[in-house]
Amino acid sequence: MTLNDRVLGIFAIVLAAFMAYHGYGMNSEFSYEPLGPKVFPLLLSGFLALCGVILIIKGGNPVPRNPKGSSVRIISMIAILFFYAFAFQPLGFLISTLIMVTLVGKLFGGSWLHSLFGGIGMSIVLYLLFDLTLDVVLPTGLLEGLI
């Protein structure tokens, strides 16, 4: 069996059903907006299901094999994202984002220096954007007394 667009479309519809099922039960203890927290996952799952249907109808195109070495990069990217998810709270936003962006930059061929400076810049800019502009409270982690 060759992997094609139709298989991906079926997977997208199954994932959309899973997201809609779990997103529909989301409720907030306090009402901060009229629609509640379930709107975003339901809209996202609807869009994903629509994309899956389009792939099934239009699909059938065979997918070429991954280039040599790309499977290792994909697995490394997934591992980096798992690290980021688990390190976000204890290390804080700034440190975990710095590490994640630096590793992703290196994974995609950047030098250590460029990746490090990209990580420093991105973590600071995003922290200021979320904290000052959007009023989103981010975990400070190890930098709790300094920020």
Side-chain angles (χ1 to χ4, degrees), residues 46-108:
F47 181 70
L48 184 61
L50 176 66
C51 290
V53 168
I54 291 170
L55 280 173
I56 289 172
I57 291 171
K58 162 194 118 46
N61 302 321
V63 177
R65 296 190 64 80
N66 286 339
K68 187 174 175 120
S70 64
S71 296
V72 173
R73 288 177 54 192
I74 292 169
I75 292 169
S76 299
M77 186 67 196
I78 292 170
I80 291 169
L81 290 175
F82 269 105
F83 162 78
Y84 186 64
F86 289 110
F88 190 75
Q89 223 28 60
L91 295 181
F93 177 82
L94 284 170
I95 295 175
S96 60
T97 302
L98 166 69
I99 294 170
M100 189 263 306
V101 171
T102 302
L103 292 176
V104 169
K106 187 62 185 156
L107 186 66
F108 282 94

Side-chain angles (χ1 to χ4, degrees), residues 10 15 18 22 26 35 39 44 52 58 60-61 65 77 80 83-84 95 102 104-105 108 118 120 123 128 130 134 147:
I10 291 169
L15 181 62
F18 178 79
H22 288 286
M26 291 179 75
L35 299 175
V39 173
L44 192 60
K58 162 194 118 46
N61 302 321
R65 296 190 64 80
M77 186 67 196
I80 291 169
F83 162 78
Y84 186 64
I95 295 175
T102 302
V104 169
F108 282 94
I120 291 169
S123 62
L128 293 174
F130 280 108
L134 301 174
I147 299 177

